[in-house]
Amino acid sequence: MTAPHLPKVAGISSPVPAPAHTSAPAVPSPPTVPEPPAPAPCALVQDRLAGWVSDLTTLQELTERLARTARLDDALHEVLRAGASLVGAGRGLVTLHSADADGAGHPVTVGLGLGLADLGHIETIPHERDRAPHSPYVRLLDDLPPVGDRSGTAHPDIPGEGGLDPRHREVAARLGYAASYAVPLESPVSPRADSGAPPAAGRIGAAVWLYDEPAEPTERQRHLAGLYCGYATEHLARLVELTHAREAVATLREELLPSRLPRVPGVRLAVRHRTGPQGGGDWYDALPLPEGALGLAIGGITGSGPGAIAAMGRLRASLRAYAVMEGEDPVAVLSDLELLLRVTEPARAATALFAYCEPAERKVVVAGAGHCSPLIIGSDRVEYVETSLSAPLGMLACWEAPSVEIEPAPGETLLFYSDGLLHRTGDSMDRAYARLHAAAAGVPRAARRDPEAVADHVLRTVLPDGSVPEGGEDVILLVAHFE
């Protein structure tokens, strides 16, 4: 008999057992965390390219800043600042062998965050190997690689490094640095390769940066510092050559001007001379003449550089000869000079002012050719001498202008000056003349009898900062005090 089925009720399952072949319900396993996908090769390339672009941008900015420096000292300080930012250091120094054309010269050392006393302490570190007496490298740089190897040298932990001289550790502890990284300033082309000599490797100096804690630049930092120093070497070499050329021109110019002022009874002289960076053709002269007379001259020739200086020397020598022959007639002196200029220097023009002085009689005869009028300073007057208006020498077919006679009183002073003194003020000529007049009027009465004090006061007042702007003209101040 078949058993009857029970009725189905909602929510109650049937009591019929499950078939034997039915498996038990599976226990769920915990979820697995998926592994991050491997970076795509293109992402690595993009990161590397971004790093290269960043490095190149940094180098471009630093080299552009260095290229804007026109003076050797400014360039050395810029190299130190840029290198410190590249290798992550805070202080450093750079030393340069500033040899002249004859191979002589002395090292130039500049510090960043180091005073002169600190540099002196570093110089006391003993040599680790023999070097030539004219070596430009301080003792801290003795272990640089030989010439031809431009890799840097690191001391990552000076207090704990073995083999160092005890004096090295003592100086490092005294100055508060614990690590250093040095790079030679070396170029594959000699600084004088453009003079006709064959190119050769040359090391012109070295730079070292100091760390306050034990540290060492990374390989990337070393690479960037090496690239920057390679460019800096070329720039510094050019500035060294330019500095030597300017010094040679300045020396030549000084040799062509009076080495000392003459002593003539009845008058005392003083001169102040500031040479512009380009070396212009301004000049002055003070020449004793027969019968106790004195010739005073000041002028300038167009142009700058060695050519203008050589022309200035010829012009001054000629004026001295004419002054000896006919100095009592300043117009004749300048007329002869103008004729000589047109024959020997047809492409140049010149300004000149010549004064024939008789100190015993306190009489001065002045003739000028396009030059600034002298200024007379006395207890009762400060005024410009009214010379006749005339063109510079070489500008007209024939020069001639009347002379002016001055009778300075006892204790009065004549002030001759170059137009560079007025131009360097940066003002218009009217304002510059007014500034010079105010400076002369402001000379203390106690100092008016001292030509040296008069010259210093006028120069300091007209050019208060004493700066020599790039491309600025020469400044000459010639003072004659009549007793």
Side-chain angles (χ1 to χ4, degrees):
M1 179 180 292
T2 304
H5 292 280
L6 296 176
K8 293 182 178 182
V9 179
I12 300 176
S13 60
S14 171
V16 178
H21 64 273
T22 304
S23 60
V27 179
S29 59
T32 58
V33 179
E35 296 183 0
C42 61
L44 294 176
V45 172
Q46 289 177 353
D47 291 343
R48 183 170 298 180
L49 287 176
W52 288 348
V53 170
S54 176
D55 293 343
L56 290 176
T57 302
T58 300
L59 283 177
Q60 181 183 5
E61 293 176 353
L62 295 178
T63 53
E64 285 180 351
R65 285 169 51 183
L66 179 61
R68 287 193 291 268
T69 58
R71 296 184 179 275
L72 184 59
D73 188 68
D74 296 338
L76 292 175
H77 282 92
E78 179 59 35
V79 168
L80 279 177
R81 287 190 292 267
S85 65
L86 289 175
V87 302
R91 293 180 290 171
L93 64 93
V94 59
T95 180
L96 205 63
H97 187 198
S98 181
D100 55 21
D102 298 329
H106 56 86
V108 177
T109 303
V110 173
L112 174 66
L114 298 172
L116 293 178
D118 299 331
L119 296 177
H121 286 307
I122 292 176
E123 287 286 354
T124 64
I125 299 176
H127 278 289
E128 295 185 5
R129 60 174 180 265
D130 294 335
R131 288 197 178 267
H134 62 276
S135 170
Y137 311 119
V138 294
R139 311 301 191 263
L140 191 63
L141 307 173
D142 269 349
D143 56 352
L144 282 171
V147 176
D149 185 356
R150 290 186 287 172
S151 60
T153 301
H155 291 285
D157 187 6
I158 292 177
E161 184 176 345
L164 287 181
D165 190 280
R167 180 59 181 169
H168 193 160
R169 291 194 183 89
E170 179 182 347
V171 170
R174 182 164 189 164
L175 299 186
Y177 67 87
S180 66
Y181 179 66
V183 178
L185 298 176
E186 184 175 314
S187 170
V189 179
S190 173
R192 296 186 178 90
D194 56 353
S195 62
R203 179 174 294 180
I204 65 172
V208 59
W209 290 277
L210 308 176
Y211 300 85
D212 295 338
E213 301 291 338
E216 185 175 1
T218 64
E219 189 64 29
R220 170 179 168 272
Q221 290 174 324
R222 291 178 183 233
H223 180 66
L224 291 178
L227 292 176
Y228 177 80
C229 288
Y231 172 81
T233 302
E234 299 293 334
H235 184 70
L236 293 175
R238 288 191 292 269
L239 289 182
V240 167
E241 291 295 313
L242 181 60
T243 301
H244 291 155
R246 287 176 173 172
E247 291 174 352
V249 169
T251 302
L252 173 63
R253 176 186 174 81
E254 293 300 326
E255 292 296 327
L256 292 175
L257 292 175
S259 58
R260 61 184 180 87
L261 296 175
R263 293 184 178 180
V264 177
V267 64
R268 287 184 293 151
L269 303 175
V271 68
R272 296 293 181 269
H273 178 210
R274 302 290 184 269
T275 305
Q278 304 300 325
D282 289 355
W283 53 277
Y284 68 93
D285 205 350
L287 177 66
L289 297 174
E291 300 179 359
L294 174 68
L296 298 176
I298 188 170
I301 195 166
T302 55
S304 61
I309 293 177
M312 174 268 291
R314 293 190 292 267
L315 198 68
R316 173 178 171 264
S318 301
L319 184 139
R320 291 173 70 91
Y322 297 144
V324 170
M325 292 187 295
E326 47 190 354
E328 67 278 0
D329 186 359
V331 174
V333 172
L334 293 186
S335 296
D336 294 342
L337 193 65
E338 195 271 342
L339 178 60
L340 178 72
L341 184 69
R342 285 196 291 115
V343 173
T344 61
E345 306 284 346
R348 296 185 185 275
T351 64
L353 186 144
F354 180 72
Y356 178 79
C357 307
E358 294 178 307
E361 300 180 8
R362 287 193 299 277
K363 185 178 73 173
V364 180
V365 182
V366 179
H371 202 80
C372 306
S373 299
L375 187 63
I376 189 165
I377 306 172
S379 57
D380 299 327
R381 60 173 176 168
V382 176
E383 60 188 21
Y384 288 101
V385 177
E386 294 185 2
T387 57
S388 58
L389 182 64
S390 62
L393 303 177
M395 296 291 290
L396 301 178
C398 182
W399 177 90
E400 187 170 348
S403 59
V404 176
E405 185 172 322
I406 312 170
E407 294 183 0
E412 290 191 330
T413 301
L414 270 177
L415 192 68
F416 304 90
Y417 53 93
S418 65
D419 55 1
L421 178 66
L422 304 176
H423 293 161
R424 280 209 190 167
T425 62
D427 296 333
S428 63
M429 292 302 291
D430 290 342
R431 286 180 173 271
Y433 276 115
R435 177 183 291 192
L436 177 59
H437 185 278
V443 176
R445 292 191 176 273
R448 293 193 177 188
R449 293 186 175 273
D450 184 2
E452 300 285 346
V454 172
D456 288 335
H457 177 86
V458 171
L459 192 61
R460 183 172 57 250
T461 306
V462 176
L463 302 176
D465 55 356
S467 61
V468 180
E470 188 68 24
E473 301 180 31
D474 296 349
V475 170
I476 297 176
L477 202 60
L478 181 59
V479 181
H481 176 75
F482 293 86
E483 297 176 339

